[in-house]
Amino acid sequence: MKRKNLFIYIILLIVVCVAGYFTWNYFDSKKIQVPYSDFYKQMSLGKVETVTIKENQLEYELKDPSTSSGTTGIIYKTENPHSSTLEESLLKKGVKVTVEKDSAQIFSLIFDIIFYVFFFGIIIVVFRKFISPNTFKVVHKTGVKFDDVVGMDNLKRDMTQVMKIMQNAKEYAAKGIRMPKGILLEGEPGNGKTLFAKALAGEAKVNFIPAKATDFESMFMAIGPMKVKLLFRKARKQAPCIVFIDEFDGIGTVRNYTGSALETENTRIVTALLNELDGFEPSKGVLVLAATNSIEALDPALIRPGRFDARFKVPYPDYNARVELVKMYCNGKNPDTACTPETLAKYTDGYSCAKIESVLNRAALLAGQDNRVEFAMDDFKQACKDVN
């Protein structure tokens, strides 16, 4: 139905355009064509009242002798001699002159308008894409609790106190206890820093805004700092809230004043982070969690006490944690009797949580390639070599 209506509208538009064209020609044909010599003679005698200079012709009206001012109402047309002195001569005779733009000028003007509309439209679209209010999503319920995080018992215990302060900020503030503004989680990739941050938000039942270093990168200068301000503005509106910045060493590196574009942008982002961390009160219920693989790479001014008050190490899972991880990741898989969680945990010493999952998935895949339902210890050992 919509397509049919659109087709009808297009047909009507064409009919209106064609009718307008013929109407214009009809009224144009009513104008009296005269030789240029007649026009020149009338102009010389001062009988011409108005002249419209068009691209290829002149249209003029004569004075009405029966009135002190005004025209006869009859429009005459004649050839345009394209004389450079014509307009000046008419003005000297007291003739009212109107110069109409020719088609080339009109098309040029239309083209310029279209170009500027398109150009600024692209800028607005790109700007809104990079600085859109939806750049950072607010997760109201993460669906993750501490029970979903294997290990990290010491970290859970320490963060439970932070969680209580966040939930009762005013009560603790009355006791002179403030919530940390920021907490750094340091550990190798794949050890569950992101999962832990989600679990903390889930346990505290507060809003969660995830971000990563690449969210602040842009081909345009100054976009990164604007995104930092946008993130913290949204966090204040959603308080109590946890802001989680992953890959923090990607945007919080030591400032280098070499003058290069990249270093200048990094300096602006770090400065924006410093201003935002100093600009909100802990009692407002906003906690910044930042995950990094290397604290040494971060700017010292950014991670000093008063901004990031606590640092926690997220280590590789210990033996007991690896046993639990193997049990969890073997759910849905079929290890044979020799592949007990305790045995496999011994082989995964020094493995991250993500690597353990990847190895077990690879072992099950190898067994499947041989049309075996259960994976054996040889499959597991081969998977360890493949993943390494």
Side-chain angles (χ1 to χ4, degrees):
M1 182 61 70
K2 290 183 178 180
R3 290 185 178 180
K4 184 178 179 181
N5 291 339
L6 179 62
F7 179 75
I8 293 174
Y9 292 145
I10 293 174
I11 295 297
L12 289 175
L13 180 62
I14 294 174
V15 170
V16 170
C17 292
V18 172
Y21 174 77
F22 284 109
T23 302
W24 176 264
N25 284 343
Y26 172 77
F27 284 107
D28 189 62
S29 65
K30 293 293 183 181
K31 299 171 184 176
I32 301 174
Q33 180 77 35
V34 298
Y36 182 77
S37 58
D38 289 355
F39 164 74
Y40 186 78
K41 185 185 298 182
Q42 292 166 337
M43 179 189 71
S44 301
L45 295 173
K47 293 182 178 182
V48 177
E49 177 70 16
T50 65
V51 173
T52 300
I53 302 176
K54 296 188 175 183
E55 183 179 2
N56 295 316
Q57 68 180 17
L58 305 176
E59 293 182 358
Y60 67 96
E61 294 178 274
L62 299 177
K63 293 180 180 178
D64 187 353
S66 63
T67 60
S68 59
S69 62
T71 64
T72 60
I74 302 173
I75 299 177
Y76 300 89
K77 61 182 181 179
T78 187
E79 296 82 6
N80 186 349
H82 297 288
S83 171
S84 59
T85 60
L86 176 61
E87 184 177 356
E88 182 182 1
S89 300
L90 291 168
L91 292 172
K92 286 180 178 179
K93 292 288 185 180
V95 179
K96 299 176 182 177
V97 180
T98 303
V99 181
E100 289 191 358
K101 294 183 180 294
D102 58 31
S103 57
Q105 290 177 311
I106 293 173
F107 281 122
S108 177
L109 178 62
I110 293 174
F111 177 79
D112 289 343
I113 293 174
I114 293 174
F115 171 78
Y116 284 117
V117 170
F118 179 78
F119 178 75
F120 287 108
I122 290 294
I123 291 179
I124 292 172
V125 170
V126 172
F127 188 79
R128 286 182 61 85
K129 177 178 175 61
F130 285 104
I131 309 296
S132 170
N134 297 322
T135 300
F136 302 103
K137 302 292 184 181
V138 179
V139 181
H140 299 289
K141 293 182 179 180
T142 62
V144 183
K145 295 295 183 67
F146 280 159
D147 291 341
D148 300 314
V149 181
V150 176
M152 304 188 195
D153 294 331
N154 292 333
L155 185 56
K156 290 177 184 177
R157 184 175 58 253
D158 293 332
M159 294 302 290
T160 298
Q161 183 66 24
V162 175
M163 180 180 65
K164 291 179 179 178
I165 298 175
M166 176 179 288
Q167 292 173 325
N168 305 282
K170 293 183 179 180
E171 179 182 333
Y172 278 88
K175 300 177 182 178
I177 301 173
R178 69 170 178 84
M179 186 183 72
K181 287 185 179 180
I183 295 175
L184 279 173
L185 301 178
E186 183 187 19
E188 295 301 318
N191 274 342
K193 298 186 291 294
T194 302
L195 182 65
F196 181 82
K198 291 180 179 179
L200 179 61
E203 287 286 342
K205 297 179 181 179
V206 298
N207 294 319
F208 181 72
I209 304 179
K212 53 185 180 297
T214 53
D215 291 333
F216 302 93
E217 296 175 356
S218 172
M219 66 178 73
F220 300 104
M221 294 291 289
I223 294 295
M226 292 181 69
K227 286 188 174 182
V228 171
K229 295 178 182 179
L230 175 65
L231 172 62
F232 281 87
R233 189 183 306 123
K234 179 171 283 190
R236 292 186 185 97
K237 291 180 180 179
Q238 298 294 331
C241 174
I242 292 178
V243 176
F244 176 67
I245 306 177
D246 201 5
E247 306 164 359
F248 194 54
D249 46 288
I251 59 170
T253 52
V254 178
R255 285 170 287 181
N256 188 343
Y257 300 94
T258 59
S260 66
L262 289 176
E263 293 297 341
T264 301
E265 181 70 354
N266 176 74
T267 299
R268 289 174 176 172
I269 291 175
V270 173
T271 303
L273 283 168
L274 294 175
N275 292 336
E276 293 299 329
L277 287 171
D278 291 339
F280 70 84
E281 297 296 328
S283 59
K284 298 298 182 181
V286 177
L287 173 66
V288 181
L289 275 180
T292 178
N293 301 331
S294 175
I295 287 183
E296 290 75 15
L298 297 173
D299 192 289
L302 188 61
I303 59 175
R304 70 164 175 80
R307 289 175 178 145
F308 283 90
D309 298 294
R311 303 178 184 179
F312 294 105
K313 183 77 174 179
V314 182
Y316 287 111
D318 57 18
Y319 173 75
N320 292 329
R322 293 198 304 275
V323 171
E324 294 302 317
L325 287 169
V326 170
K327 291 179 180 179
M328 181 174 66
Y329 292 140
C330 279
N331 186 27
K333 299 180 177 62
N334 297 302
D336 66 13
T337 54
C339 297
T340 63
E342 292 75 16
T343 303
L344 298 183
K346 292 179 182 178
Y347 280 94
T348 55
D349 187 21
Y351 283 26
S352 67
C353 304
K355 190 173 181 180
I356 293 173
E357 190 278 333
S358 183
V359 166
L360 292 171
N361 187 68
R362 177 63 180 169
L365 182 62
L366 291 173
Q369 291 175 352
D370 293 335
N371 295 319
R372 289 181 284 110
V373 176
E374 298 180 343
F375 69 84
M377 185 59 69
D378 290 339
D379 298 317
F380 179 79
K381 291 180 180 180
Q382 183 61 45
C384 291
K385 295 179 181 179
D386 293 343
V387 173
N388 285 331

